[in-house]
């Protein structure tokens, strides 16, 4: 019989989710908890936090995949780390249940922090689940990078014109920041790859961006969004607005116009990248906490979980999984939008509020933010930015200076100094030696070579 998992006997602050919000809550709270005889416990299926704004650059080979993630074990040295999935919360008993190594484990706590983040939002489109890939996890970004480079190489020796065209057609659905940065970065990488392959030309590649709305990137001004569309089209990227994906069965993509749903075009592709939004992690429905209509935990501005009957004692939340009021007045529906900027800021305040609530260090405060603007990179030397400058309003940038603003902001926003150093090192090396365009074909099948060696063909 397997031995049961031994948990710390100290009074526990349980942090569910180790992404942006969970990492910062634990990091900023663990020392104070230890000093008062408590322990911070982080429960997450993964042993790391992913800095998602860097995923497009991971997909394009500008950043080494491991440099875009932050190890819990390395940086949360005073926390108890549990790699598993939440299955239930009984807050009346203050007990959470998790599946860890296939076993159900009860985790008692005195305070709980729900920071389980968001997952990719999809729709019941035929074939999407079987053929698509997201851009929410580091594994997906690596898969996109190697997949594109593999397809370019395969197409370079493909004799069937239809099969070659399918291999060289790359589609991104979703015109928000993630979609625009993804298609820009992978086009930049593909351009570099075909420049070194005499059997494929840039004109052979087809990049298609599909967006159901009439504009892209709602986070920037309308004139900037229009410029981005012009920029993408000048690079040979097809931008299809007011267009939606209706079917993706077997890689045969059927596009329809919106909102009338008339057929637009049908073609085949082996690479369908889905970036059409996110939704709160459905794990919150495994709890007895109040959830609003969009699937997020109801919260007040102090980051306490709050329902119709008032504040839920000893329960807190932040980040993409939380419906936190936007006191600046700029949020959609009066709530903070799900992004990294809010998650990190809320997490830092939540840690302070917990220390104030539990240990009398200061006072519990409301979350109020000043929007810093938005920055986006479109490949080497290309970008757009809207930077909020106090007393002067928004400053709009585009081109190389916006690209530098993008790298500067996200380079500094990357958690932990050693991670920042690794990312800046990648950028410096890329500037000197060029983008790394070497695929690793069997990365998802690491035993393939051994199996071929052990079972040689007769």
């Amino acid at each position: 019989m397997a031995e049961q998992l031994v948990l710390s006997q100290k009074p526990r602050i349980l942090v569910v989710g180790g992404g942006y919000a969970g990492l910062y809550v634990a990091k900023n709270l663990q020392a104070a908890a230890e000093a008062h005889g408590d322990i911070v416990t982080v429960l997450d299926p993964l042993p790391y936090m992913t800095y998602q704004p860097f995923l497009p650059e991971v997909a394009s080979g500008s950043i080494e995949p491991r440099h875009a993630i932050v190890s819990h074990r390395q940086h949360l040295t005073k926390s108890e780390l549990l790699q598993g999935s939440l299955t239930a919360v009984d807050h009346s008993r203050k007990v959470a249940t998790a599946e860890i190594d296939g076993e159900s484990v009860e985790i008692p706590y005195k305070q709980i922090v729900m920071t389980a983040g968001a997952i990719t939002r999809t729709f019941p489109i035929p074939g999407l689940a079987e053929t698509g890939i997201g851009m929410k996890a580091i594994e997906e970004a690596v898969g996109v990078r190697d997949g594109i480079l593999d397809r370019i190489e395969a197409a370079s020796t493909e004799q069937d014109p239809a099969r070659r065209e399918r291999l060289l057609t790359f589609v991104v659905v979703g015109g928000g920041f993630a979609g625009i940065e993804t298609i820009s970065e992978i086009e930049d990488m593909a351009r570099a790859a075909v420049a070194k392959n005499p059997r494929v030309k840039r004109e052979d590649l087809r990049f298609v961006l599909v967006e159901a709305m009439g504009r892209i990137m709602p986070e920037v001004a309308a004139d900037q969004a229009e410029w981005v569309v012009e920029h993408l089209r000048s690079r040979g990227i097809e931008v299809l607005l007011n267009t939606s994906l209706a079917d993706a069965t077997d890689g045969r993509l059927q596009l329809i116009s919106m909102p009338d749903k008339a057929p637009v075009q049908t073609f085949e592709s082996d690479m369908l990248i889905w970036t059409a939004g996110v939704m709160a992690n459905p794990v919150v429905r495994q709890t007895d906490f109040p959830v609003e209509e969009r699937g997020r935990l109801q919260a007040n501005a102090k980051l306490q979980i709050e329902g119709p009957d008032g504040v839920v004692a000893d329960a807190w939340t932040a980040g993409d999984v939380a419906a936190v009021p936007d006191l600046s007045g700029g949020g959609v529906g009066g709530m903070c939008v799900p992004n990294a900027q809010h998650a990190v800021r809320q997490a830092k305040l939540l840690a302070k509020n917990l220390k104030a609530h539990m240990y009398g260090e200061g006072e519990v405060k409301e979350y109020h933010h000043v929007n810093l603007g938005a920055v986006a990179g479109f490949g080497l030397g290309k970008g757009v930015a809207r930077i909020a400058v106090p007393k002067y309003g928004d400053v709009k940038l585009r081109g190389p200076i916006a690209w530098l603003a993008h790298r500067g902001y996200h380079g500094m926003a990357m958690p932990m100094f050693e991670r920042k150093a690794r990312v800046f090192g990648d950028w410096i090396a890329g500037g000197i030696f060029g983008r790394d365009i070497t695929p690793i074909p069997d990365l998802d099948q690491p035993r393939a070579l051994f199996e071929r060696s052990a079972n040689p063909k007769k």
Side-chain angles (χ1 to χ4, degrees), residues 211-394:
E211 169 53 46
M213 305 300 290
R215 64 160 288 181
I216 61 171
M217 300 178 74
E219 301 89 343
V220 301
D223 60 329
Q224 287 183 297
E226 292 172 3
W227 176 83
V228 173
V229 171
E230 294 175 3
H231 170 77
L232 295 179
R233 287 173 174 164
S234 73
R235 291 165 57 174
I237 298 172
E238 299 174 40
V239 180
L240 305 180
L241 303 178
N242 296 309
T243 304
S244 182
L245 177 67
D247 197 302
T249 304
D250 296 327
R252 184 175 176 82
L253 309 187
Q254 298 179 19
L255 305 183
I256 57 175
S257 61
M258 297 296 290
D260 59 347
K261 298 186 179 180
V264 173
Q265 58 177 295
T266 299
F267 57 88
E268 295 187 359
S269 171
D270 271 352
M271 178 62 70
L272 171 61
I273 306 168
W274 181 269
T275 65
V278 298
M279 60 180 287
N281 194 323
V283 73
V284 302
R285 300 191 182 278
Q286 307 299 320
T287 74
D288 50 5
F289 297 130
V291 177
E292 46 93 77
E293 63 275 6
R294 295 185 64 183
R296 297 175 297 179
L297 292 168
Q298 295 181 17
N300 59 27
K302 294 179 180 178
L303 306 176
Q304 299 164 306
I305 295 177
E306 184 176 71
D309 299 326
V311 172
V312 179
D314 305 326
W316 309 74
T317 187
D320 293 356
V321 80
V324 178
D326 188 342
L327 300 184
S328 74
V332 178
M335 298 295 172
C336 296
V337 297
N339 62 27
Q341 194 176 127
H342 281 304
V344 171
R345 291 177 171 191
Q346 288 173 7
K348 292 179 179 179
L349 176 63
L350 198 160
K352 291 180 180 179
N353 282 353
L354 266 169
K355 286 188 279 190
H357 174 75
M358 298 176 67
Y359 310 131
E361 298 181 16
E363 59 180 300
V364 177
K365 297 181 179 180
E366 293 185 330
Y367 175 70
H368 193 290
H369 77 103
V370 176
N371 195 328
L372 299 177
V375 291
F378 304 148
L380 297 177
K382 300 173 281 286
V384 67
R386 177 182 59 80
I387 300 174
V389 180
K391 299 182 181 179
Y392 293 96
D394 289 347

Side-chain angles (χ1 to χ4, degrees), residues 22 32 39 52 58 67 80 87-88 104 106 157 279 292 374 401 408:
I39 192 167
Q52 292 170 5
V58 170
H67 297 171
E80 180 183 45
T87 56
S104 182
E106 286 196 341
T157 56
M279 60 180 287
E292 46 93 77
I401 191 170

Side-chain angles (χ1 to χ4, degrees), residues 27-104:
K27 177 178 178 291
N28 292 349
L29 189 60
Q30 59 184 358
E34 182 183 54
H36 288 84
D38 297 331
I39 192 167
V40 174
T41 298
V42 179
L43 173 67
D44 194 287
L46 299 173
Y48 55 79
M49 166 264 192
T50 304
Y51 191 72
Q52 292 170 5
F54 280 157
L55 293 181
E57 291 201 55
V58 170
S60 69
S62 289
I63 295 177
E64 162 65 29
R66 282 186 175 83
H67 297 171
I69 61 177
V70 179
S71 166
H72 294 157
R73 188 68 64 185
Q74 182 176 355
H75 294 285
L76 300 180
T77 56
K78 296 181 179 181
S79 296
E80 180 183 45
L81 304 178
L82 300 176
Q83 193 172 333
S85 300
L86 182 76
T87 56
V89 172
D90 183 351
H91 194 59
S92 62
R93 295 172 51 223
K94 290 193 174 180
V95 173
T97 305
E99 183 177 331
I100 302 174
D101 292 332
E103 300 290 333
S104 182

Side-chain angles (χ1 to χ4, degrees), residues 398-418:
R398 65 190 191 191
I401 191 170
W403 174 74
L404 288 173
H406 161 76
R407 284 204 161 178
Y409 171 78
H410 284 298
M412 296 308 298
M414 179 71 191
M416 313 305 169
F417 177 78
E418 59 95 11

